[in-house]
Amino acid sequence: MRSRVLAFSLLSAALGGLLIGCSPKNTGPGGKAGPADPPAPVDPGSPLWVPAPLPPSVAGVVRGEPLVIPNCVVQYDERQIVSAEVDGTIELLATPYTPGELKALMDDPKLTEQQKRDRILYHPRDTGNPKKPLKRIRESMPVEARQIVAFMDDQLVSARMEGSQKIKESALSAKANAAEGVGAADDKHKMTKRTVGIGGGAPKELLDDLITLTRFRENLDQAMQTIAKAEADYKEAVVLMGRHQIRSGVNGTIRTIAKRPGEYVKAGDKIMEIEGTDKVRIEGQLDVQYIRSVRIGMDVIVEPALPSAPEASHSGHRQAVTGVTVTAHPDGPLVVSVGADGAALVWDPPLASKNANTTVSVPHNLPHPVGVKSVATAAAAARTVLVITGGDDGKVRVWDVTNRKQLPAAPKVVAEDAHTSPVQAITVSPDGKYFATAAGRDVFVWDLTTVKKMYALPLEHRDSVTAINFTPQCTLVTASKDNTLKVWKVGDKGAAVARTLDHRAGAVDVLGVSSDGARVLFDQDKGRLDLVDPSNGQTVGQIQNMGSAGAFSTLAVFEPSADGAKGDPNRPHLLATAGGDGDLKGTVQVWQAPRSGRGSEVGRLITPGRVPVTTAAFSPVRGERFLAVGTSSGAVHLWKPPSEARKTHTGRIVNIDATDARYVTVRVELDNRELQLIDHSIANVIIPSDK
């Protein structure tokens, strides 16, 4: 029996050896053969640069987190139906220009003189010198309370006012004559009275003088009555004229226009509808278990998702944009975008103040023979600005773009060593002396001065690496499709894994690291990103999209700090995330992430046509802050992120509807004069934990 077991063991060992000999020792994604896994070095050697100290760690569990009512719908609280007050014909739908608006119109270089004249109207009975300029009313135009928005045909009222004025002028003349007659008759009457008193005159003469005086006084009284009536008629005509001038009753926006100039309307007929924007109501649903956490009259915090369109764009790529970076030129940053069409386009962003007069014409192309998958920029020694690109052919190319007026037509260096698959990600060390590239499971570390490969990282990841980031602490953070993040110690001899963060959702391929190295983004699930301290793996904060339509996708990147690791550790950082399908398709959310705790959304950037976002990068230049976003259609868009810390906006709960068995509908009222929220936009309502 023992001999049979021994024979079976020997046979199994022989077959195992044959299988080992016939199969690759390491297979890449999809079962493709790859190089044998090299043993991980025990000692990576001396650090590549002097590691910066980590900011003080913060507690991973933050007690007293606020209660969030997500995806609340904003609705305007007031609507005014603007109606005709009198019967008549609409003459003009127009409103007076403000001095600032008129000056902006006259100074607009894009308009011809004829176009400027065409945009100015005058009332047909305006006799002023100069006349008061008017602009046409249109839908979506903002208006203020008591602002004129339409003129009715007021010719009859004008004639009545003119007649009243003439009657008054005539009565004033009659009044003057009567007053003069009263004075003369009174003097005559007094003289006759003295004469009769001394026996020198007839009583009949005295009576005639009295009758004359009485008649003049009657004339004076009649003139006074005529003046009073003329003034009353004029005031009545003024009131009637006011009813011929249609005014807005609220601060708001013209929603619809129901009547047009030349149409006859009766008193009460609708002319237009204006939505009041001074106050808004915000409604959202809260799980019924939290009903005791809210009450009518409670003050809450409102965090609106303010949507905005790009401020500048170009569509130079014929295929999807696969990477974008922003240089740190001292004379103004440049945007470099790469695409599957083999183009690497360099262009001046007009949002930068030093490039404000630059027009986005045809960007300069750094030509590639293959598609380009990734790009990064580095400020090397002697103020040299380099761009590093990774191609579909696995090659790394370095371009010198220092002289923005003479950009190169060929790379400065094409690295001799190359990956065996497309280069998916590139990162540059904080000191600008080294860079790393990722392709498939391979990650190479390079000397930027010589563009020579120093070593490859051990193949610890079980699937392709999708993002790499150096930190000031001389570590490299890698994200992989195997749903792990790894933190590597990098030295002059090699690299070794210091920490593995696993159980990612895998929803976001590109996960960023903060400039101070204290936080790495970790996709906990499709709607939640954790901020993790890479030194201990502890979660210190999070950003979250509530609801099934709020999934994160593609990327989540930090805005770089101009001070790098020396920046204020307590200062909130901005980060950008891309949305997936649903309501967030084609959307970049900008968040303010504090050192610990919950992050808040401060902006929502929507691509034209809601085209999916493929890549994004913040400008690294102090004072030249903007965000560059690439899309699947080949377009690159620029936005200005918020320049100040987010203000707190307070609303008040005015109604709680608990008729539903599962949800409580909460209504919040908010003063909207500063925010100017849009009707049917989205906001989150935050109930602080101390409430």
Side-chain angles (χ1 to χ4, degrees), residues 160-225:
R160 182 174 172 180
M161 293 175 67
E162 185 178 350
S164 298
Q165 284 290 81
K166 289 182 178 180
I167 291 173
K168 181 179 178 180
E169 291 172 2
S170 177
L172 286 172
S173 178
K175 174 187 173 183
N177 293 334
E180 185 178 351
V182 167
D186 187 47
D187 292 341
K188 180 71 167 54
H189 177 261
K190 290 178 181 178
M191 185 180 298
T192 303
K193 188 176 181 179
R194 286 196 296 270
T195 303
V196 171
I198 60 175
K204 181 178 180 302
E205 186 179 356
L206 180 63
L207 181 60
D208 291 340
D209 288 346
L210 182 59
I211 292 172
T212 301
L213 177 60
T214 302
R215 287 176 178 172
F216 276 118
R217 284 176 175 170
E218 289 177 352
N219 292 341
L220 181 59
D221 290 341
Q222 186 176 2
M224 294 289 289
Q225 291 175 4

Side-chain angles (χ1 to χ4, degrees), residues 283-547:
E283 288 188 359
Q285 290 185 322
L286 182 66
D287 196 291
V288 72
Q289 65 178 309
Y290 299 113
I291 189 171
R292 297 185 182 275
S293 301
V294 293
R295 64 181 183 276
I296 294 177
M298 174 187 287
D299 288 340
V300 294
I301 297 171
V302 176
E303 292 182 353
L306 300 175
S308 63
E311 299 186 42
S313 304
H314 86 69
S315 301
H317 292 279
R318 300 187 308 278
Q319 297 182 44
V321 179
T322 53
V324 64
T325 189
V326 184
T327 71
H329 279 79
D331 54 348
L334 294 174
V335 175
V336 185
S337 58
V338 299
D341 56 357
L345 303 181
V346 186
W347 57 297
D348 283 310
L351 299 190
S353 61
K354 294 179 181 178
N355 303 335
N357 296 324
T358 302
T359 58
V360 182
S361 54
V362 179
H364 177 81
N365 184 24
L366 307 177
H368 289 70
V370 295
V372 190
K373 278 291 193 294
S374 53
V375 64
T377 183
R383 303 176 72 87
T384 301
V385 181
L386 302 176
V387 168
I388 308 167
T389 57
D392 282 343
D393 55 3
K395 292 185 178 181
V396 174
R397 296 169 174 85
V398 179
W399 310 73
D400 188 342
V401 296
T402 306
N403 187 349
R404 64 193 308 133
K405 296 181 179 179
Q406 293 182 354
L407 294 172
K412 178 181 180 181
V413 179
V414 178
E416 294 180 2
D417 295 298
H419 290 277
T420 57
S421 59
V423 181
Q424 296 289 346
I426 304 173
T427 184
V428 179
S429 63
D431 63 357
K433 295 181 179 179
Y434 307 94
F435 70 97
T437 56
R441 294 173 60 201
D442 292 327
V443 178
F444 295 169
V445 177
W446 306 74
D447 186 319
L448 183 56
T449 304
T450 60
V451 194
K452 298 291 184 182
K453 172 184 167 184
M454 297 175 63
Y455 53 81
L457 269 62
L459 295 178
E460 297 283 349
H461 283 295
R462 299 184 304 277
D463 208 333
S464 297
V465 175
T466 57
I468 52 178
N469 290 278
F470 278 120
T471 76
Q473 289 73 39
C474 206
T475 63
L476 179 67
V477 180
T478 58
S480 169
K481 288 185 178 179
D482 63 9
N483 293 345
T484 66
L485 285 175
K486 291 186 183 292
V487 183
W488 304 75
K489 291 182 178 180
V490 288
D492 56 359
K493 296 180 181 178
V497 176
R499 183 173 301 280
T500 298
L501 306 174
D502 51 14
H503 303 297
R504 287 176 47 219
V508 180
D509 286 337
V510 179
L511 293 166
V513 178
S514 61
S515 296
D516 58 7
R519 287 169 294 176
V520 58
L521 290 166
F522 183 94
D523 49 339
Q524 179 69 26
D525 56 46
K526 290 183 178 180
R528 170 181 157 188
L529 292 174
D530 284 352
L531 283 77
V532 177
D533 186 336
S535 66
N536 55 28
Q538 194 171 32
T539 298
V540 297
Q542 65 181 219
I543 61 174
Q544 191 166 7
N545 276 326
M546 302 290 184

Side-chain angles (χ1 to χ4, degrees), residues 113-167:
E113 292 301 319
Q114 184 60 45
Q115 288 174 326
K116 294 175 183 178
R117 287 193 293 270
D118 291 343
R119 296 192 182 190
I120 298 177
L121 304 176
Y122 295 101
H123 195 283
R125 283 169 297 287
D126 186 352
T127 58
N129 188 17
K131 294 182 178 181
K132 183 178 291 185
L134 306 173
K135 62 179 176 181
R136 287 184 177 86
I137 284 291
R138 64 181 187 278
E139 292 176 348
S140 301
M141 176 182 286
V143 293
E144 298 179 357
R146 302 303 304 156
Q147 180 177 337
I148 296 174
V149 294
F151 295 87
M152 302 284 290
D153 186 352
D154 56 8
Q155 294 184 72
L156 293 177
V157 182
S158 297
R160 182 174 172 180
M161 293 175 67
E162 185 178 350
S164 298
Q165 284 290 81
K166 289 182 178 180
I167 291 173

Side-chain angles (χ1 to χ4, degrees), residues 21-80:
C22 295
S23 301
K25 293 183 179 180
N26 178 54
T27 56
K32 294 181 180 180
D37 289 5
V42 177
D43 180 13
S46 301
L48 287 181
W49 62 87
V50 178
L54 269 171
S57 181
V58 295
V61 177
V62 181
R63 295 184 178 181
E65 280 292 288
L67 184 63
V68 180
I69 306 178
N71 301 323
C72 301
V73 178
V74 177
Q75 295 179 321
Y76 288 141
D77 203 36
E78 290 182 289
R79 286 193 181 181
Q80 180 202 5

Side-chain angles (χ1 to χ4, degrees), residues 74 76 142 251-253 277-280 306 670-679 681:
V74 177
Y76 288 141
N251 296 321
T253 303
T277 56
D278 280 357
K279 288 185 178 180
V280 291
L306 300 175
L670 176 71
D671 189 323
N672 195 40
R673 284 174 290 186
E674 180 181 1
L675 271 175
Q676 292 293 300
L677 296 181
I678 301 173
D679 192 28
S681 59

